Amino acid sequence: MILALTAAVAAALLVCRLALRERRAPGTARRVLAFTRDRRALAAGLLAGLLLAGPAVRAAGPGALAWAGLAGALVAGLCSTAGRKAEGPAPGAHAAGTGPEGSRDQE
């Protein structure tokens, strides 16, 4: 019972955090929750939740199902490509011929 209650508190904290972010910058919640429209991410989250649920229930009882669900939602959010902006190269990566040493055009 206490395990499920702590998972409910954790979920409530995440919802409050999302609401505060949305209040500061409208549209943030839509981007954060974009994983709910990504089938591949939802499948990955469901699989992770199911794989965690079996051992968790045996080890800690039915209250662990809430934590398995939260873990599945986290996996789905991490696996999602929906809502991400197209970004350039990774931070710190340099394109050939550019950078502080100058480009090849300046030679």
Side-chain angles (χ1 to χ4, degrees):
M1 179 70 173
I2 291 179
L3 196 59
L5 183 61
T6 57
V9 169
L13 288 172
L14 290 172
V15 169
C16 290
R17 179 178 172 230
L18 180 64
L20 290 174
R21 288 176 69 184
E22 178 67 21
R23 188 162 185 211
R24 276 190 231 128
T28 305
R30 182 179 303 251
R31 286 188 300 273
V32 169
L33 296 175
F35 74 90
T36 60
R37 295 183 298 274
D38 187 353
R39 288 180 184 227
R40 185 175 293 178
L42 288 177
L46 181 64
L47 180 65
L50 289 174
L51 289 175
L52 287 171
V57 169
R58 275 186 245 119
L65 287 175
W67 284 107
L70 280 175
L74 176 64
V75 168
L78 291 174
C79 291
S80 176
T81 58
R84 292 184 187 167
K85 294 180 182 177
E87 298 177 5
H94 295 287
T98 62
E101 68 277 352
S103 70
R104 292 183 184 152
D105 295 335
Q106 296 175 352
E107 293 177 2

